[in-house]
Amino acid sequence: MTGPTDPTATSQASPSGELPGGAAGSRPIVGVIAGSRSDFPILEKALAVLTELDIPAELRVVSAHRTPAWMTRYAESAEGRGLRVIIAGAGGAAHLPGMVAAQTLLPVIGVPIPLSQLDGLDSLLSIVQMPRGVPVATVAIGNAENAALLAARILALQDAGLMARLAAHRERQARMVLEDPSNIGAP
Ligand code: RP5
């Protein structure tokens, strides 16, 4: 058996060792889980957005196939630990988001991870084609940033400060387009 026995007992350290999101030591409200450590480079983009929006988050490896019991413990304990949204990224036969969604009532956002074979289409179809009754909100292949932004929109419904930070984020995005050198002098 691999994986921690108690999800509350493990740290929320990012690969850099820092607590991602929010003030150091604040309790994570978004759980970002990866089917493998090899998925981290993509899922770290979600953490970066969550950190920018000051949303406390954790990043862990939870494999549906290699550690099914750990996946169940993670899903079943998530709400009780204070998580409000789960972002789950997996590649290939990407069953992690769906199987977590089957074991928690928290919203689950799936990130299809592109692998070298099939370019992530396999991951996308594995995650998006959920049966009726067990929803997973699926973002574009590799688009972990959007998973974080969608999580933020869900959380912002009950957090006016976060809603304001999201509005500022959108404003910055728009400004980057409008201030692109190609738009100088445009009407
Ligand atoms: C999936 O298998 C993981 O999400 C990962 O994308 C893929 C390959 O995993 P590794 O063989 O790199 O550990 O479960």
Side-chain angles (χ1 to χ4, degrees), residues 9-34:
T10 56
S11 79
Q12 289 86 48
S14 71
S16 66
E18 297 294 313
L19 280 172
S26 54
R27 226 170 125 185
I29 57 173
V30 176
V32 182
I33 55 176

Side-chain angles (χ1 to χ4, degrees), residues 90-92 112-126 141-142:
I113 304 289
L115 302 183
S116 48
Q117 300 86 8
L118 303 178
D119 294 331
L121 185 58
D122 47 350
S123 319
L124 172 67
L125 297 179
S126 299
I141 296 169

Side-chain angles (χ1 to χ4, degrees), residues 34-39 63 65-66 89-93 113 115:
S36 167
R37 182 165 274 270
S38 64
D39 300 329
S63 170
H65 303 113
R66 294 165 179 156
I113 304 289
L115 302 183

Side-chain angles (χ1 to χ4, degrees), residues 99-167:
M99 288 307 295
V100 168
Q103 298 176 93
T104 179
L105 288 175
L106 294 177
V108 175
I109 303 169
V111 181
I113 304 289
L115 302 183
S116 48
Q117 300 86 8
L118 303 178
D119 294 331
L121 185 58
D122 47 350
S123 319
L124 172 67
L125 297 179
S126 299
I127 293 174
V128 79
Q129 289 292 69
M130 288 295 292
R132 272 192 308 271
V134 186
V136 170
T138 309
V139 297
I141 296 169
N143 198 332
E145 293 95 334
N146 269 6
L149 289 169
L150 183 53
R153 287 184 178 207
I154 293 169
L155 295 166
L157 292 172
Q158 296 190 308
D159 182 338
L162 177 54
M163 192 66 90
R165 295 197 293 281
L166 264 177

